[in-house]
Amino acid sequence: GDVIYKGRVPFLDSPETDITHWLSELVYLTRLEPAPRYVIPGHGTASDDVEQAIAATRDYIHYVREVMRKAVADFTPFDEAYEATDWSAYRDMPAFDASNRGNAYRIYLEMEAEAFEQGWQDATDISIHNNNKISKDKQKKYILFFSINFDLKNRYIELAF
């Protein structure tokens, strides 16, 4: 598949794309012995310098992951995080308009899933409380309200039901 997008924004917004694996394969390419004489990217011009050929793709993926990871850690909604991000290093690259927002959103969701998974593993306190609130709706069904409180690395969250 297309691993190197020399000089253009890669397309990451696909369920078949494993971004972590993609990054590890870029590292693998730089460690080949002997180094390839030429690299022919899936998109872009051929190069006789592996590091230079993969730099734009690798740096772009790292940048998007880092800004979206920070947004998730700060509980910043995606649209707000996307608008606040400095895309100037990539804005003039081919495929920016077509791919960047989808790439960023895909990575944001990936970072949310990782944070949620890690958060549950790191939860220091989880408690469930019956708030003793019972109401009856128009169909005479009873609804019980309760909340779940948990502390994720000193970030207290309460989910009320």
Side-chain angles (χ1 to χ4, degrees), residues 100-160:
N100 192 64
R101 187 177 186 87
N103 291 346
Y105 188 61
R106 165 98 194 291
I107 290 175
Y108 181 90
L109 294 177
E110 196 174 274
M111 297 292 106
E112 269 189 332
E114 286 179 17
F116 185 74
E117 174 108 4
Q118 188 62 44
W120 277 110
Q121 292 172 6
D122 294 345
T124 57
D125 181 37
I126 300 175
S127 56
I128 299 176
H129 304 279
N130 178 341
N131 294 339
N132 296 321
K133 296 179 187 175
I134 299 177
S135 70
K136 195 187 318 184
D137 68 11
K138 293 178 184 176
Q139 297 176 352
K140 298 184 181 180
K141 295 179 183 172
Y142 291 91
I143 301 170
L144 173 65
F145 293 91
F146 64 95
S147 63
I148 301 173
N149 306 308
F150 51 98
D151 181 357
L152 302 178
K153 292 186 178 179
N154 299 319
R155 289 180 185 239
Y156 181 78
I157 299 173
E158 178 175 349
L159 305 174

Short mmCIF file of all heavy atoms in Angstrom, two decimals, residues 100-160:
data_model
loop_
_atom_site.label_atom_id
_atom_site.label_comp_id
_atom_site.label_asym_id
_atom_site.label_seq_id
_atom_site.Cartn_x
_atom_site.Cartn_y
_atom_site.Cartn_z
N ASN A 100 -7.16 16.29 5.41
CA ASN A 100 -6.68 16.66 6.73
C ASN A 100 -7.73 16.57 7.83
O ASN A 100 -7.47 16.00 8.89
CB ASN A 100 -6.07 18.06 6.71
CG ASN A 100 -5.31 18.35 7.99
OD1 ASN A 100 -4.32 17.69 8.27
ND2 ASN A 100 -5.80 19.30 8.75
N ARG A 101 -8.91 17.12 7.61
CA ARG A 101 -9.93 17.09 8.67
C ARG A 101 -10.32 15.65 9.03
O ARG A 101 -10.44 15.30 10.20
CB ARG A 101 -11.15 17.93 8.29
CG ARG A 101 -12.14 18.06 9.43
CD ARG A 101 -13.32 18.96 9.06
NE ARG A 101 -14.15 19.16 10.21
CZ ARG A 101 -13.98 20.10 11.12
NH1 ARG A 101 -12.99 20.95 11.01
NH2 ARG A 101 -14.79 20.20 12.15
N GLY A 102 -10.51 14.82 8.02
CA GLY A 102 -10.83 13.42 8.27
C GLY A 102 -9.72 12.70 8.99
O GLY A 102 -9.96 11.90 9.91
N ASN A 103 -8.47 12.98 8.61
CA ASN A 103 -7.32 12.39 9.30
C ASN A 103 -7.31 12.79 10.77
O ASN A 103 -7.12 11.96 11.65
CB ASN A 103 -6.01 12.86 8.66
CG ASN A 103 -5.79 12.31 7.27
OD1 ASN A 103 -6.46 11.39 6.83
ND2 ASN A 103 -4.84 12.89 6.57
N ALA A 104 -7.48 14.09 11.00
CA ALA A 104 -7.44 14.60 12.38
C ALA A 104 -8.57 13.99 13.21
O ALA A 104 -8.35 13.60 14.37
CB ALA A 104 -7.54 16.12 12.38
N TYR A 105 -9.76 13.88 12.63
CA TYR A 105 -10.89 13.32 13.37
C TYR A 105 -10.66 11.85 13.68
O TYR A 105 -10.90 11.39 14.80
CB TYR A 105 -12.19 13.51 12.60
CG TYR A 105 -13.41 13.12 13.40
CD1 TYR A 105 -13.71 13.77 14.58
CD2 TYR A 105 -14.24 12.10 12.97
CE1 TYR A 105 -14.83 13.42 15.34
CE2 TYR A 105 -15.36 11.75 13.72
CZ TYR A 105 -15.65 12.40 14.89
OH TYR A 105 -16.74 12.05 15.63
N ARG A 106 -10.16 11.11 12.70
CA ARG A 106 -9.86 9.69 12.92
C ARG A 106 -8.87 9.52 14.06
O ARG A 106 -9.03 8.69 14.94
CB ARG A 106 -9.31 9.09 11.63
CG ARG A 106 -8.65 7.75 11.80
CD ARG A 106 -9.60 6.62 11.43
NE ARG A 106 -9.10 5.35 11.89
CZ ARG A 106 -8.03 4.71 11.43
NH1 ARG A 106 -7.32 5.23 10.47
NH2 ARG A 106 -7.69 3.55 11.90
N ILE A 107 -7.82 10.33 14.05
CA ILE A 107 -6.80 10.24 15.09
C ILE A 107 -7.36 10.71 16.43
O ILE A 107 -7.06 10.12 17.47
CB ILE A 107 -5.53 11.01 14.67
CG1 ILE A 107 -4.85 10.24 13.53
CG2 ILE A 107 -4.59 11.21 15.85
CD1 ILE A 107 -3.66 10.93 12.92
N TYR A 108 -8.21 11.73 16.43
CA TYR A 108 -8.84 12.20 17.66
C TYR A 108 -9.63 11.06 18.31
O TYR A 108 -9.52 10.81 19.51
CB TYR A 108 -9.75 13.39 17.35
CG TYR A 108 -10.43 13.99 18.55
CD1 TYR A 108 -9.82 15.02 19.26
CD2 TYR A 108 -11.69 13.57 18.95
CE1 TYR A 108 -10.45 15.61 20.35
CE2 TYR A 108 -12.33 14.14 20.03
CZ TYR A 108 -11.71 15.16 20.73
OH TYR A 108 -12.34 15.74 21.81
N LEU A 109 -10.43 10.36 17.51
CA LEU A 109 -11.22 9.24 18.03
C LEU A 109 -10.31 8.13 18.55
O LEU A 109 -10.59 7.51 19.58
CB LEU A 109 -12.16 8.70 16.96
CG LEU A 109 -13.26 9.64 16.51
CD1 LEU A 109 -14.07 9.00 15.38
CD2 LEU A 109 -14.17 10.05 17.66
N GLU A 110 -9.21 7.88 17.85
CA GLU A 110 -8.25 6.88 18.28
C GLU A 110 -7.63 7.27 19.63
O GLU A 110 -7.48 6.45 20.52
CB GLU A 110 -7.16 6.77 17.21
CG GLU A 110 -6.30 5.57 17.27
CD GLU A 110 -5.37 5.52 16.07
OE1 GLU A 110 -5.79 5.01 15.01
OE2 GLU A 110 -4.22 6.00 16.20
N MET A 111 -7.29 8.56 19.76
CA MET A 111 -6.69 9.05 21.01
C MET A 111 -7.72 8.99 22.15
O MET A 111 -7.37 8.66 23.28
CB MET A 111 -6.19 10.49 20.86
CG MET A 111 -5.08 10.68 19.85
SD MET A 111 -3.52 9.91 20.35
CE MET A 111 -3.48 8.49 19.28
N GLU A 112 -8.99 9.28 21.85
CA GLU A 112 -10.05 9.17 22.86
C GLU A 112 -10.17 7.73 23.35
O GLU A 112 -10.27 7.49 24.55
CB GLU A 112 -11.40 9.60 22.27
CG GLU A 112 -11.73 11.03 22.46
CD GLU A 112 -13.17 11.32 22.05
OE1 GLU A 112 -13.74 10.63 21.18
OE2 GLU A 112 -13.72 12.28 22.60
N ALA A 113 -10.18 6.80 22.42
CA ALA A 113 -10.30 5.38 22.79
C ALA A 113 -9.12 4.95 23.65
O ALA A 113 -9.29 4.26 24.66
CB ALA A 113 -10.40 4.52 21.53
N GLU A 114 -7.91 5.36 23.26
CA GLU A 114 -6.73 5.02 24.06
C GLU A 114 -6.80 5.64 25.45
O GLU A 114 -6.47 4.99 26.44
CB GLU A 114 -5.46 5.49 23.36
CG GLU A 114 -5.08 4.64 22.17
CD GLU A 114 -3.83 5.15 21.47
OE1 GLU A 114 -3.06 5.95 22.06
OE2 GLU A 114 -3.62 4.75 20.32
N ALA A 115 -7.23 6.89 25.52
CA ALA A 115 -7.33 7.58 26.82
C ALA A 115 -8.38 6.92 27.70
O ALA A 115 -8.18 6.74 28.90
CB ALA A 115 -7.65 9.06 26.62
N PHE A 116 -9.51 6.55 27.10
CA PHE A 116 -10.58 5.90 27.86
C PHE A 116 -10.10 4.56 28.40
O PHE A 116 -10.28 4.25 29.56
CB PHE A 116 -11.81 5.73 26.98
CG PHE A 116 -12.99 5.18 27.72
CD1 PHE A 116 -13.70 5.98 28.60
CD2 PHE A 116 -13.39 3.87 27.54
CE1 PHE A 116 -14.79 5.49 29.29
CE2 PHE A 116 -14.48 3.36 28.24
CZ PHE A 116 -15.18 4.17 29.12
N GLU A 117 -9.45 3.79 27.52
CA GLU A 117 -8.93 2.49 27.94
C GLU A 117 -7.91 2.65 29.06
O GLU A 117 -7.95 1.95 30.06
CB GLU A 117 -8.29 1.79 26.75
CG GLU A 117 -7.60 0.52 27.10
CD GLU A 117 -8.34 -0.70 26.60
OE1 GLU A 117 -9.36 -0.55 25.93
OE2 GLU A 117 -7.89 -1.79 26.92
N GLN A 118 -6.99 3.58 28.88
CA GLN A 118 -5.97 3.81 29.90
C GLN A 118 -6.61 4.34 31.18
O GLN A 118 -6.21 3.97 32.27
CB GLN A 118 -4.92 4.80 29.39
CG GLN A 118 -3.74 4.94 30.33
CD GLN A 118 -2.97 3.65 30.51
OE1 GLN A 118 -2.71 2.93 29.55
NE2 GLN A 118 -2.63 3.33 31.73
N GLY A 119 -7.61 5.19 31.03
CA GLY A 119 -8.28 5.76 32.19
C GLY A 119 -8.95 4.71 33.05
O GLY A 119 -8.85 4.74 34.28
N TRP A 120 -9.61 3.76 32.42
CA TRP A 120 -10.23 2.69 33.19
C TRP A 120 -9.19 1.85 33.89
O TRP A 120 -9.38 1.41 35.01
CB TRP A 120 -11.10 1.81 32.29
CG TRP A 120 -12.45 2.39 32.08
CD1 TRP A 120 -12.93 2.91 30.93
CD2 TRP A 120 -13.50 2.55 33.05
NE1 TRP A 120 -14.20 3.38 31.11
CE2 TRP A 120 -14.59 3.17 32.40
CE3 TRP A 120 -13.63 2.23 34.39
CZ2 TRP A 120 -15.78 3.47 33.04
CZ3 TRP A 120 -14.83 2.54 35.04
CH2 TRP A 120 -15.88 3.15 34.35
N GLN A 121 -8.05 1.66 33.24
CA GLN A 121 -6.99 0.88 33.87
C GLN A 121 -6.36 1.63 35.04
O GLN A 121 -5.91 1.03 36.00
CB GLN A 121 -5.90 0.54 32.84
CG GLN A 121 -6.38 -0.43 31.79
CD GLN A 121 -5.36 -0.61 30.68
OE1 GLN A 121 -4.25 -0.10 30.74
NE2 GLN A 121 -5.75 -1.35 29.66
N ASP A 122 -6.34 2.97 34.94
CA ASP A 122 -5.70 3.79 35.96
C ASP A 122 -6.67 4.35 36.99
O ASP A 122 -6.25 5.09 37.88
CB ASP A 122 -4.98 4.98 35.31
CG ASP A 122 -3.82 4.55 34.46
OD1 ASP A 122 -3.40 3.38 34.57
OD2 ASP A 122 -3.34 5.37 33.67
N ALA A 123 -7.94 4.04 36.88
CA ALA A 123 -8.92 4.61 37.81
C ALA A 123 -8.54 4.27 39.24
O ALA A 123 -8.29 3.13 39.58
CB ALA A 123 -10.31 4.09 37.50
N THR A 124 -8.48 5.30 40.07
CA THR A 124 -8.09 5.08 41.47
C THR A 124 -9.30 4.93 42.38
O THR A 124 -9.18 4.40 43.46
CB THR A 124 -7.24 6.27 41.97
OG1 THR A 124 -7.98 7.48 41.80
CG2 THR A 124 -5.93 6.34 41.20
N ASP A 125 -10.45 5.38 41.93
CA ASP A 125 -11.63 5.28 42.77
C ASP A 125 -12.87 5.25 41.88
O ASP A 125 -13.06 6.14 41.07
CB ASP A 125 -11.71 6.49 43.72
CG ASP A 125 -12.92 6.42 44.64
OD1 ASP A 125 -13.26 5.30 45.08
OD2 ASP A 125 -13.51 7.46 44.90
N ILE A 126 -13.66 4.22 42.00
CA ILE A 126 -14.91 4.13 41.26
C ILE A 126 -16.00 3.82 42.27
O ILE A 126 -15.88 2.92 43.08
CB ILE A 126 -14.87 3.02 40.19
CG1 ILE A 126 -13.75 3.30 39.18
CG2 ILE A 126 -16.21 2.89 39.49
CD1 ILE A 126 -13.55 2.19 38.17
N SER A 127 -17.06 4.59 42.22
CA SER A 127 -18.17 4.33 43.12
C SER A 127 -19.49 4.57 42.42
O SER A 127 -19.59 5.41 41.53
CB SER A 127 -18.06 5.21 44.37
OG SER A 127 -18.02 6.57 44.01
N ILE A 128 -20.50 3.82 42.82
CA ILE A 128 -21.85 3.97 42.26
C ILE A 128 -22.76 4.37 43.40
O ILE A 128 -22.75 3.79 44.47
CB ILE A 128 -22.34 2.65 41.62
CG1 ILE A 128 -21.39 2.26 40.47
CG2 ILE A 128 -23.76 2.79 41.12
CD1 ILE A 128 -21.71 0.93 39.83
N HIS A 129 -23.56 5.39 43.14
CA HIS A 129 -24.44 5.92 44.17
C HIS A 129 -25.88 5.90 43.70
O HIS A 129 -26.18 6.33 42.60
CB HIS A 129 -24.07 7.39 44.49
CG HIS A 129 -22.65 7.55 44.89
ND1 HIS A 129 -22.19 7.29 46.14
CD2 HIS A 129 -21.57 7.92 44.16
CE1 HIS A 129 -20.89 7.51 46.19
NE2 HIS A 129 -20.49 7.89 45.00
N ASN A 130 -26.76 5.41 44.53
CA ASN A 130 -28.19 5.53 44.29
C ASN A 130 -28.61 6.86 44.88
O ASN A 130 -28.50 7.08 46.08
CB ASN A 130 -28.93 4.37 44.96
CG ASN A 130 -30.41 4.47 44.78
OD1 ASN A 130 -30.94 5.52 44.47
ND2 ASN A 130 -31.09 3.36 44.98
N ASN A 131 -29.04 7.76 44.04
CA ASN A 131 -29.39 9.10 44.51
C ASN A 131 -30.78 9.17 45.12
O ASN A 131 -31.28 10.24 45.43
CB ASN A 131 -29.27 10.10 43.37
CG ASN A 131 -27.84 10.25 42.91
OD1 ASN A 131 -26.91 9.93 43.64
ND2 ASN A 131 -27.65 10.73 41.70
N ASN A 132 -31.42 8.02 45.27
CA ASN A 132 -32.75 7.93 45.87
C ASN A 132 -33.76 8.85 45.20
O ASN A 132 -34.62 9.43 45.84
CB ASN A 132 -32.69 8.24 47.38
CG ASN A 132 -31.87 7.20 48.11
OD1 ASN A 132 -31.95 6.02 47.79
ND2 ASN A 132 -31.07 7.65 49.06
N LYS A 133 -33.61 8.99 43.91
CA LYS A 133 -34.58 9.78 43.16
C LYS A 133 -35.34 8.81 42.27
O LYS A 133 -34.78 8.20 41.39
CB LYS A 133 -33.89 10.82 42.29
CG LYS A 133 -33.13 11.87 43.07
CD LYS A 133 -32.48 12.83 42.09
CE LYS A 133 -31.58 13.80 42.82
NZ LYS A 133 -30.84 14.65 41.88
N ILE A 134 -36.58 8.68 42.52
CA ILE A 134 -37.43 7.82 41.70
C ILE A 134 -38.57 8.68 41.18
O ILE A 134 -39.20 9.42 41.93
CB ILE A 134 -37.98 6.62 42.51
CG1 ILE A 134 -36.82 5.76 43.01
CG2 ILE A 134 -38.94 5.81 41.66
CD1 ILE A 134 -37.24 4.60 43.87
N SER A 135 -38.80 8.60 39.89
CA SER A 135 -39.92 9.35 39.33
C SER A 135 -40.77 8.42 38.49
O SER A 135 -40.34 7.36 38.07
CB SER A 135 -39.42 10.52 38.49
OG SER A 135 -38.82 10.05 37.31
N LYS A 136 -41.99 8.84 38.26
CA LYS A 136 -42.91 8.04 37.47
C LYS A 136 -43.22 8.83 36.21
O LYS A 136 -43.58 10.00 36.28
CB LYS A 136 -44.18 7.78 38.27
CG LYS A 136 -45.03 6.68 37.67
CD LYS A 136 -46.37 6.46 38.30
CE LYS A 136 -46.46 6.51 39.78
NZ LYS A 136 -47.81 6.20 40.27
N ASP A 137 -43.04 8.20 35.04
CA ASP A 137 -43.36 8.91 33.81
C ASP A 137 -44.84 8.72 33.48
O ASP A 137 -45.59 8.07 34.21
CB ASP A 137 -42.45 8.47 32.67
CG ASP A 137 -42.68 7.03 32.22
OD1 ASP A 137 -43.67 6.41 32.64
OD2 ASP A 137 -41.86 6.55 31.43
N LYS A 138 -45.28 9.27 32.36
CA LYS A 138 -46.69 9.24 31.98
C LYS A 138 -47.22 7.83 31.74
O LYS A 138 -48.40 7.59 31.84
CB LYS A 138 -46.91 10.10 30.73
CG LYS A 138 -46.68 11.57 30.98
CD LYS A 138 -46.86 12.37 29.71
CE LYS A 138 -46.53 13.83 29.98
NZ LYS A 138 -46.59 14.64 28.79
N GLN A 139 -46.36 6.90 31.42
CA GLN A 139 -46.80 5.53 31.17
C GLN A 139 -46.71 4.68 32.43
O GLN A 139 -46.80 3.47 32.38
CB GLN A 139 -45.95 4.90 30.06
CG GLN A 139 -46.11 5.62 28.74
CD GLN A 139 -45.19 5.04 27.68
OE1 GLN A 139 -44.33 4.21 27.96
NE2 GLN A 139 -45.37 5.48 26.45
N LYS A 140 -46.54 5.32 33.56
CA LYS A 140 -46.48 4.66 34.86
C LYS A 140 -45.31 3.69 34.98
O LYS A 140 -45.40 2.66 35.62
CB LYS A 140 -47.81 3.96 35.16
CG LYS A 140 -48.95 4.93 35.24
CD LYS A 140 -50.22 4.25 35.64
CE LYS A 140 -51.33 5.30 35.68
NZ LYS A 140 -52.60 4.76 36.05
N LYS A 141 -44.21 4.06 34.34
CA LYS A 141 -42.98 3.30 34.51
C LYS A 141 -42.14 4.06 35.53
O LYS A 141 -42.15 5.27 35.58
CB LYS A 141 -42.21 3.19 33.20
CG LYS A 141 -42.93 2.38 32.14
CD LYS A 141 -42.11 2.35 30.87
CE LYS A 141 -42.86 1.62 29.77
NZ LYS A 141 -42.19 1.74 28.48
N TYR A 142 -41.40 3.33 36.31
CA TYR A 142 -40.55 3.95 37.31
C TYR A 142 -39.13 4.09 36.76
O TYR A 142 -38.60 3.18 36.13
CB TYR A 142 -40.54 3.13 38.61
CG TYR A 142 -41.87 3.19 39.31
CD1 TYR A 142 -42.84 2.23 39.05
CD2 TYR A 142 -42.16 4.22 40.18
CE1 TYR A 142 -44.08 2.29 39.67
CE2 TYR A 142 -43.37 4.29 40.80
CZ TYR A 142 -44.34 3.32 40.55
OH TYR A 142 -45.56 3.40 41.16
N ILE A 143 -38.56 5.22 37.03
CA ILE A 143 -37.19 5.49 36.58
C ILE A 143 -36.34 5.75 37.81
O ILE A 143 -36.68 6.59 38.65
CB ILE A 143 -37.17 6.71 35.64
CG1 ILE A 143 -38.07 6.47 34.43
CG2 ILE A 143 -35.73 7.01 35.21
CD1 ILE A 143 -38.29 7.70 33.58
N LEU A 144 -35.25 5.05 37.93
CA LEU A 144 -34.33 5.22 39.05
C LEU A 144 -33.13 6.04 38.56
O LEU A 144 -32.56 5.75 37.53
CB LEU A 144 -33.86 3.85 39.55
CG LEU A 144 -32.77 3.84 40.61
CD1 LEU A 144 -33.30 4.48 41.90
CD2 LEU A 144 -32.31 2.42 40.86
N PHE A 145 -32.78 7.06 39.29
CA PHE A 145 -31.63 7.89 38.95
C PHE A 145 -30.45 7.47 39.80
O PHE A 145 -30.58 7.25 41.00
CB PHE A 145 -31.95 9.37 39.20
CG PHE A 145 -33.00 9.90 38.28
CD1 PHE A 145 -34.34 9.86 38.64
CD2 PHE A 145 -32.65 10.42 37.05
CE1 PHE A 145 -35.32 10.34 37.80
CE2 PHE A 145 -33.63 10.90 36.20
CZ PHE A 145 -34.96 10.87 36.56
N PHE A 146 -29.31 7.35 39.18
CA PHE A 146 -28.09 7.04 39.92
C PHE A 146 -26.92 7.69 39.20
O PHE A 146 -27.04 8.18 38.10
CB PHE A 146 -27.88 5.52 40.06
CG PHE A 146 -27.67 4.80 38.75
CD1 PHE A 146 -26.39 4.54 38.30
CD2 PHE A 146 -28.75 4.38 37.99
CE1 PHE A 146 -26.19 3.88 37.10
CE2 PHE A 146 -28.56 3.71 36.80
CZ PHE A 146 -27.27 3.45 36.35
N SER A 147 -25.79 7.71 39.86
CA SER A 147 -24.60 8.28 39.23
C SER A 147 -23.41 7.38 39.47
O SER A 147 -23.37 6.61 40.42
CB SER A 147 -24.32 9.68 39.79
OG SER A 147 -24.06 9.61 41.17
N ILE A 148 -22.46 7.47 38.56
CA ILE A 148 -21.20 6.74 38.68
C ILE A 148 -20.11 7.81 38.77
O ILE A 148 -20.03 8.70 37.93
CB ILE A 148 -20.95 5.83 37.47
CG1 ILE A 148 -22.08 4.81 37.32
CG2 ILE A 148 -19.60 5.14 37.59
CD1 ILE A 148 -21.99 3.98 36.06
N ASN A 149 -19.31 7.71 39.80
CA ASN A 149 -18.22 8.66 39.98
C ASN A 149 -16.90 7.91 39.86
O ASN A 149 -16.76 6.83 40.40
CB ASN A 149 -18.28 9.30 41.38
CG ASN A 149 -19.62 9.94 41.64
OD1 ASN A 149 -20.10 10.72 40.84
ND2 ASN A 149 -20.24 9.58 42.74
N PHE A 150 -15.95 8.48 39.14
CA PHE A 150 -14.64 7.87 39.11
C PHE A 150 -13.57 8.95 38.98
O PHE A 150 -13.81 10.03 38.49
CB PHE A 150 -14.50 6.79 38.04
CG PHE A 150 -14.92 7.18 36.66
CD1 PHE A 150 -13.98 7.58 35.73
CD2 PHE A 150 -16.25 7.12 36.29
CE1 PHE A 150 -14.36 7.91 34.45
CE2 PHE A 150 -16.64 7.45 35.00
CZ PHE A 150 -15.69 7.85 34.08
N ASP A 151 -12.41 8.62 39.49
CA ASP A 151 -11.29 9.53 39.51
C ASP A 151 -10.23 8.98 38.57
O ASP A 151 -9.68 7.92 38.81
CB ASP A 151 -10.74 9.64 40.94
CG ASP A 151 -9.58 10.61 41.05
OD1 ASP A 151 -9.15 11.16 40.02
OD2 ASP A 151 -9.10 10.81 42.17
N LEU A 152 -9.98 9.67 37.46
CA LEU A 152 -8.97 9.25 36.51
C LEU A 152 -7.78 10.19 36.64
O LEU A 152 -7.80 11.31 36.15
CB LEU A 152 -9.49 9.31 35.08
CG LEU A 152 -10.73 8.48 34.79
CD1 LEU A 152 -11.16 8.68 33.35
CD2 LEU A 152 -10.46 7.02 35.04
N LYS A 153 -6.76 9.74 37.34
CA LYS A 153 -5.55 10.54 37.53
C LYS A 153 -5.90 11.95 37.97
O LYS A 153 -5.56 12.93 37.35
CB LYS A 153 -4.75 10.57 36.24
CG LYS A 153 -4.16 9.23 35.88
CD LYS A 153 -3.25 9.34 34.68
CE LYS A 153 -2.65 8.00 34.38
NZ LYS A 153 -1.79 8.01 33.23
N ASN A 154 -6.65 12.04 39.04
CA ASN A 154 -7.03 13.32 39.66
C ASN A 154 -7.99 14.14 38.81
O ASN A 154 -8.10 15.34 39.00
CB ASN A 154 -5.81 14.14 40.03
CG ASN A 154 -4.95 13.42 41.03
OD1 ASN A 154 -5.47 12.80 41.96
ND2 ASN A 154 -3.65 13.48 40.85
N ARG A 155 -8.67 13.54 37.86
CA ARG A 155 -9.71 14.23 37.10
C ARG A 155 -11.02 13.55 37.49
O ARG A 155 -11.31 12.46 37.05
CB ARG A 155 -9.49 14.12 35.60
CG ARG A 155 -8.32 14.93 35.12
CD ARG A 155 -8.19 14.76 33.64
NE ARG A 155 -7.02 15.42 33.17
CZ ARG A 155 -7.04 16.37 32.27
NH1 ARG A 155 -8.15 16.76 31.72
NH2 ARG A 155 -5.91 16.92 31.87
N TYR A 156 -11.79 14.19 38.30
CA TYR A 156 -13.01 13.62 38.84
C TYR A 156 -14.11 13.76 37.79
O TYR A 156 -14.33 14.83 37.23
CB TYR A 156 -13.40 14.34 40.11
CG TYR A 156 -14.64 13.79 40.74
CD1 TYR A 156 -14.60 12.61 41.48
CD2 TYR A 156 -15.86 14.43 40.59
CE1 TYR A 156 -15.74 12.09 42.05
CE2 TYR A 156 -17.00 13.92 41.17
CZ TYR A 156 -16.94 12.75 41.89
OH TYR A 156 -18.07 12.24 42.46
N ILE A 157 -14.79 12.67 37.50
CA ILE A 157 -15.87 12.67 36.51
C ILE A 157 -17.08 12.03 37.13
O ILE A 157 -16.99 11.00 37.80
CB ILE A 157 -15.44 11.89 35.25
CG1 ILE A 157 -14.22 12.55 34.61
CG2 ILE A 157 -16.59 11.81 34.25
CD1 ILE A 157 -13.63 11.75 33.48
N GLU A 158 -18.23 12.61 36.92
CA GLU A 158 -19.48 12.02 37.40
C GLU A 158 -20.41 11.84 36.22
O GLU A 158 -20.63 12.76 35.43
CB GLU A 158 -20.15 12.91 38.44
CG GLU A 158 -21.47 12.33 38.92
CD GLU A 158 -22.10 13.12 40.04
OE1 GLU A 158 -21.44 13.99 40.60
OE2 GLU A 158 -23.26 12.85 40.33
N LEU A 159 -20.92 10.65 36.06
CA LEU A 159 -21.93 10.33 35.05
C LEU A 159 -23.24 10.15 35.79
O LEU A 159 -23.35 9.27 36.63
CB LEU A 159 -21.55 9.08 34.28
CG LEU A 159 -20.17 9.07 33.62
CD1 LEU A 159 -19.89 7.69 33.04
CD2 LEU A 159 -20.10 10.11 32.53
N ALA A 160 -24.21 10.93 35.45
CA ALA A 160 -25.51 10.81 36.13
C ALA A 160 -26.51 10.16 35.17
O ALA A 160 -26.56 10.48 33.99
CB ALA A 160 -26.01 12.17 36.55
#
